[in-house]
């Protein structure tokens, strides 16, 4: 049971970190900012502008290796996104001077 919680924690942290990087950071050498600019106003660009949408798409490939079956995958996928959203809300509540 311990490894399931460990996988959930690592997965949630990974989804938040990658989602936050793509959504709100410039990245090393401004690569992520350039990627967002190149995505423009198309579907990919709109997805990058929405943390909720982005976390859902980032969570899918993270959930795949952690899941033990299809039902587990379809429960884990939105759970990881939801955990990332909760972390993003907590991060935003800290205010700009804290991050």
């Amino acid at each position: 049971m311990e490894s399931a919680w460990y996988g959930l924690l690592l997965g949630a942290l990974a989804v938040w970190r990658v989602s936050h990087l793509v959504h709100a950071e410039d990245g090393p050498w401004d690569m992520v900012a350039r990627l967002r600019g190149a995505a423009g106003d198309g579907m990919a660009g709109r997805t990058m502008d929405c943390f909720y949408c982005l976390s859902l798409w980032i969570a899918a490939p993270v959930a795949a290796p952690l899941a033990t079956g299809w039902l587990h995958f379809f429960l884990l996928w939105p759970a990881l996104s939801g955990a990332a959203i909760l972390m993003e809300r907590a991060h935003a509540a800290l205010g700009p001077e804290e991050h």
Side-chain angles (χ1 to χ4, degrees), residues 71-87:
L71 177 60
H72 189 213
F73 171 77
F74 283 112
L75 293 173
L76 186 59
W77 178 12
L80 290 173
S81 173
I85 289 167
L86 290 174
M87 285 186 261

Side-chain angles (χ1 to χ4, degrees), residues 53-73:
C53 301
L54 186 60
S55 72
L56 191 61
W57 291 113
I58 300 292
V62 173
L66 297 175
T68 58
W70 284 106
L71 177 60
H72 189 213
F73 171 77

